[in-house]
Amino acid sequence: MAYRLRRVAERILSALACHEETELSVSIVGDRTIRGINREYLARDRPTNVISFPLQEGEYSGIAPHALGDVVISADTAAREAAEGGMETFERLSFLLLHGILHLCGYDHERSGEAEALRMEKKERELFGLLKREGLLNP
């Protein structure tokens, strides 16, 4: 599965016209771990599906110009959401990876208002459709 997720990440980065040397850290964890991360960094004491930590924002953003950031995904939450949505777990993990990468690339649905949330949703649909058409979500 790690190889398949890597291919998905590479295709997303390519579609977003990221530099070919772009670096991305992806961690797949359980609900207990992501809850701790969510509590420590976002002051939300609950598990969540995905958290992104951009490295190209803030005062030290130029130190490693090709390091995009970190995406942390809860496998437990992804599996639950997949079952609830009638999809394969890998498909849900791929969507959460896409969502996290979009956050690292400056897309936001939480703090920037409805127009930005709609822009992010549109990009998610576009790129997820691309992944499906190219067969990257198939077992």
Side-chain angles (χ1 to χ4, degrees), residues 45-60:
D45 191 15
R46 64 182 184 273
T48 188
N49 52 18
V50 62
I51 300 174
S52 296
F53 296 98
L55 294 175
Q56 295 306 315
E57 293 179 4
E59 145 179 29
Y60 301 106

Side-chain angles (χ1 to χ4, degrees), residues 10-30:
E10 288 171 348
R11 186 62 184 106
I12 293 165
L13 293 171
S14 173
L16 290 169
C18 292
H19 192 278
E20 66 180 29
E21 294 181 21
T22 297
E23 298 173 17
L24 172 69
S25 167
V26 178
S27 299
I28 309 295
V29 301

Side-chain angles (χ1 to χ4, degrees), residues 42-130:
L42 301 173
R44 298 174 185 158
D45 191 15
R46 64 182 184 273
T48 188
N49 52 18
V50 62
I51 300 174
S52 296
F53 296 98
L55 294 175
Q56 295 306 315
E57 293 179 4
E59 145 179 29
Y60 301 106
S61 63
I63 290 176
H66 296 300
L68 194 57
D70 306 313
V71 176
V72 183
I73 301 170
S74 170
D76 297 332
T77 299
R80 275 194 313 278
E81 291 175 350
E84 291 167 6
M87 66 177 65
E88 295 293 323
T89 300
F90 182 78
E91 187 175 352
R92 185 63 184 157
L93 284 169
S94 296
F95 181 84
L96 294 172
L97 177 58
L98 165 62
H99 185 86
I101 290 172
L102 286 177
H103 274 295
L104 296 180
C105 290
Y107 287 81
D108 180 46
H109 62 92
E110 296 176 318
R111 297 173 295 226
S112 298
E114 188 175 337
E116 179 62 19
L118 292 172
R119 184 174 88 91
M120 184 171 181
E121 287 176 26
K122 181 180 177 184
K123 185 56 85 171
E124 283 175 336
R125 284 191 306 273
E126 172 191 325
L127 293 177
F128 202 65
L130 175 75

